[in-house]
Amino acid sequence: MTAAAIPRYRQLKELIIRRISTGELRPRDRVPSENELVDSTGVSRMTANRALRELNDEGYVDRVAGVGTFVADFKAASHVLEVRNIADEISLRGHDHSANILLSSETPADAIAAAALHVNINAPLLRLRLVHMESDIPIQLEDRFVLPEFAPEFLQQNFAGITPSAFLSSVSPLQEAEHVVRAAMPDEETRNSLNMEDNEPCLVVTRTTWAHGQPVSFARLYHPGSRFELSGHYAPPGAEAASRRPEHGARQNES
Amino acid sequence: MTAAAIPRYRQLKELIIRRISTGELRPRDRVPSENELVDSTGVSRMTANRALRELNDEGYVDRVAGVGTFVADFKAASHVLEVRNIADEISLRGHDHSANILLSSETPADAIAAAALHVNINAPLLRLRLVHMESDIPIQLEDRFVLPEFAPEFLQQNFAGITPSAFLSSVSPLQEAEHVVRAAMPDEETRNSLNMEDNEPCLVVTRTTWAHGQPVSFARLYHPGSRFELSGHYAPPGAEAASRRPEHGARQNES
DNA sequence: TGCACTAGCCTGTATATACAACCTCGGGAA
DNA sequence: TTCCCGAGGTTGTATATACAGGCTAGTGCA
């Protein structure tokens, strides 16, 4: 019966998502229990369980053992922005990525880097400053500190072929990261390195990377405000149902 | 056997995550098949299936029917930034949120709003401009357009008690959204509304919201660069294993 | 009236079994 | 030699069954 090739647990999920998105089921409403779904749709309890469990994992519903399943409260839903690898982002736009190294040396930690990496001020760190170019237009100034113990051979890499962040995640996958994004005016040196106009602001991304519970790298990424933007598309997961998605063109100002 | 109260599928997941994070299993390596896990750990195939399936959903591994399970390639992992509701963000910091309405009227669509909402220029739209205050300090200028058909009663809401975005998501949950973040200099009016210094840049978030496959609202959110930042913490999902997480303080510049 | 306890529902997990679809690889036929 | 096809391994789904543990409401006792 029913549609061919669409698994029953998925049909069940879409049925419930549809009832939520049309407003038939409202936040905090009770969702049919596993046994009620068994009776009303004829699936086995394990199949109903899988449908409801996945809806729970995806944030559509909240389940409480012994009580029931309820439509989640969406008002706190926070959307997300992607922070991609700069080289991937550039090649995604069909342009060429290259990098100019400005500085590559072992330097003592300044106050900010020391705090971020949980080391003492003046502790030795590996420092790399380079400008990422998109088809020969500077698009990002990366100023990065790395804990020497984590990747002693960091500065010896050929950063024409691999970005610093890609190299670090190849040293240890499954890193945690913390990002902060803000708008700020660049200093003289940054403005010149990025070929920026007077009075043009920077989009600054600060990233601290953790591996095995320890901070291992700290980076400040400066982007010209007129040539760079972060974008992100959020869609509720698992909903093949309705929702034609908006085309997600990687817009970029030409300048 | 083993630890009490930790489900076996979860123990299996953590076992495999540990093997990945220590480097014993490297990206593209083959992960033991379900039947191999059955033989080596004594669980049933359904339990092994659940462990591997969830690792697949969480992005740790890639599964191919008929072939096997392989450690995922993490180098393309894109991190995410959260864009929260401004009122939630403020109350999360323990401050008070209030809002000053600057404009509330039906206006014809300008070129940008018309393009974003897929309507003709000069089509009637509901427009709301308001300043969000954090303990009486202006923190966000929201300039929003809403499709009248979607929420005809939009302008009649009391936006002291509910933010425009929270109201819209109560009209229809499960919205899709597209965000763009950039740095730009404010115009005169914006700078005054937000009490900004001369030469201070704005962090500008542009958000288009979709419901049922149709764009329904378009907003530009201007934030003073010196008083606002976006932050996000990324941790690989499901890994209770190691990884002490960095404390995620909601930092904010004072001034 | 007030309280303790239990019956009954709910989710969470674990297993054995079954079948379908897919892919790879090697053996056998042309 | 080359091509086809099938055997065997792998994932994907579906079901029936079982037991544990949490929560609630209502019964019945004090």
Side-chain angles (χ1 to χ4, degrees):
Chain A
M1 74 190 83
T2 70
I6 298 183
R8 309 181 78 156
Y9 77 90
R10 196 180 287 267
Q11 294 179 36
L12 259 187
K13 285 175 64 179
E14 291 180 3
L15 174 73
I16 294 170
I17 289 175
R18 211 172 311 126
R19 287 213 244 171
I20 294 174
S21 88
T22 60
E24 180 185 340
L25 286 173
R26 301 185 58 82
R28 294 172 177 270
D29 278 1
R30 192 169 175 289
V31 175
S33 74
E34 296 179 3
N35 281 318
E36 288 167 345
L37 290 174
V38 168
D39 293 341
S40 67
T41 70
V43 302
S44 76
R45 202 200 126 202
M46 283 305 294
T47 301
N49 174 272
R50 177 164 179 187
L52 291 179
R53 178 160 41 82
E54 292 194 359
L55 288 175
N56 178 70
D57 294 343
E58 292 165 3
Y60 286 99
V61 302
D62 293 322
R63 313 193 78 194
V64 182
V67 182
T69 303
F70 304 90
V71 177
D73 237 335
F74 297 105
K75 60 175 190 181
S78 62
H79 297 157
V80 295
L81 275 181
E82 293 181 49
V83 181
R84 290 198 209 81
N85 184 303
I86 185 70
D88 292 346
E89 193 157 337
I90 288 171
S91 71
L92 214 78
R93 286 198 283 261
H95 292 173
D96 292 324
H97 169 260
S98 58
N100 287 347
I101 294 179
L102 304 182
L103 173 70
S104 169
S105 72
E106 180 168 321
T107 57
D110 64 30
I112 296 177
L117 293 176
H118 294 189
V119 298
N120 295 326
I121 292 186
N122 291 330
L125 294 177
L126 307 182
R127 184 175 190 183
L128 179 69
R129 281 171 63 89
L130 54 77
V131 177
H132 295 274
M133 319 282 284
E134 172 166 2
S135 299
D136 298 324
I137 297 171
I139 195 82
Q140 179 187 96
L141 169 62
E142 173 170 359
D143 187 7
R144 181 178 291 274
F145 297 85
V146 175
L147 224 60
E149 308 89 270
F150 177 69
E153 69 287 23
F154 175 66
L155 294 180
Q156 279 72 55
Q157 301 308 308
N158 173 13
F159 290 114
I162 186 171
T163 62
S165 114
F167 169 72
L168 291 173
S169 83
S170 81
V171 171
S172 168
L174 302 187
Q175 298 177 341
E176 293 185 61
E178 196 165 87
H179 292 92
V180 177
V181 175
R182 57 183 215 278
M185 298 308 292
D187 59 28
E188 186 71 21
E189 188 186 349
T190 301
R191 195 176 72 220
N192 290 337
S193 301
L194 290 173
N195 269 354
M196 293 171 62
E197 310 275 325
D198 287 354
N199 207 39
E200 179 183 348
C202 272
L203 191 71
V204 187
V205 177
T206 306
R207 177 188 300 172
T208 305
T209 309
W210 302 61
H212 305 294
Q214 296 294 322
V216 297
S217 180
F218 169 77
R220 278 180 294 247
L221 313 172
Y222 299 87
H223 312 83
S226 66
R227 294 198 292 273
F228 184 84
E229 60 191 26
L230 289 169
S231 69
H233 174 74
Y234 171 80
E240 313 290 321
S243 79
R244 202 96 307 267
R245 67 173 174 286
E247 69 281 3
H248 183 200
R251 272 160 297 168
Q252 192 205 9
N253 303 347
E254 291 305 330
S255 168
Chain B
M1 74 187 82
T2 69
I6 298 183
R8 310 182 77 155
Y9 78 89
R10 195 179 288 268
Q11 294 178 35
L12 257 187
K13 286 175 64 179
E14 291 180 2
L15 174 74
I16 294 170
I17 289 175
R18 210 172 310 126
R19 287 213 244 172
I20 294 175
S21 88
T22 61
E24 180 185 340
L25 286 174
R26 302 184 58 83
R28 296 170 177 271
D29 277 1
R30 192 170 176 287
V31 175
S33 74
E34 297 180 2
N35 281 320
E36 287 166 346
L37 290 174
V38 167
D39 293 341
S40 66
T41 71
V43 301
S44 77
R45 202 202 126 200
M46 283 305 294
T47 301
N49 175 273
R50 176 164 178 187
L52 291 180
R53 178 160 41 81
E54 292 194 0
L55 288 174
N56 180 69
D57 293 342
E58 292 164 3
Y60 286 98
V61 302
D62 293 323
R63 313 194 77 196
V64 183
V67 181
T69 302
F70 305 89
V71 178
D73 237 333
F74 296 106
K75 61 175 189 180
S78 63
H79 297 156
V80 296
L81 273 181
E82 294 181 48
V83 181
R84 291 197 209 84
N85 184 303
I86 185 71
D88 292 347
E89 192 156 337
I90 289 172
S91 70
L92 214 78
R93 288 196 284 259
H95 292 172
D96 293 323
H97 168 260
S98 59
N100 287 347
I101 294 179
L102 304 182
L103 174 71
S104 169
S105 71
E106 179 167 320
T107 57
D110 64 28
I112 296 177
L117 294 176
H118 294 190
V119 298
N120 294 326
I121 292 186
N122 292 328
L125 295 177
L126 308 181
R127 184 176 189 184
L128 180 69
R129 280 171 63 91
L130 54 76
V131 177
H132 295 275
M133 320 281 283
E134 172 165 3
S135 301
D136 298 325
I137 297 171
I139 195 81
Q140 179 186 98
L141 170 63
E142 172 169 359
D143 188 7
R144 180 177 291 273
F145 297 85
V146 176
L147 224 60
E149 309 88 272
F150 178 67
E153 70 286 26
F154 176 66
L155 294 179
Q156 279 71 55
Q157 302 308 306
N158 172 13
F159 290 114
I162 187 172
T163 61
S165 113
F167 168 73
L168 290 174
S169 83
S170 81
V171 171
S172 168
L174 302 187
Q175 300 176 340
E176 291 185 62
E178 196 165 87
H179 293 91
V180 177
V181 175
R182 57 183 216 278
M185 297 309 291
D187 60 28
E188 186 72 18
E189 188 186 348
T190 302
R191 196 175 71 218
N192 290 336
S193 301
L194 290 172
N195 268 353
M196 293 172 62
E197 311 273 324
D198 287 355
N199 208 39
E200 179 183 346
C202 271
L203 191 71
V204 186
V205 177
T206 305
R207 177 189 300 172
T208 306
T209 309
W210 301 61
H212 305 293
Q214 294 296 322
V216 296
S217 180
F218 168 76
R220 279 181 292 248
L221 312 172
Y222 298 88
H223 312 83
S226 67
R227 296 199 291 273
F228 184 84
E229 58 192 28
L230 289 169
S231 70
H233 174 73
Y234 170 80
E240 313 290 320
S243 79
R244 199 93 309 264
R245 67 170 174 288
E247 70 282 3
H248 184 202
R251 270 160 298 168
Q252 193 207 8
N253 304 348
E254 292 306 327
S255 173

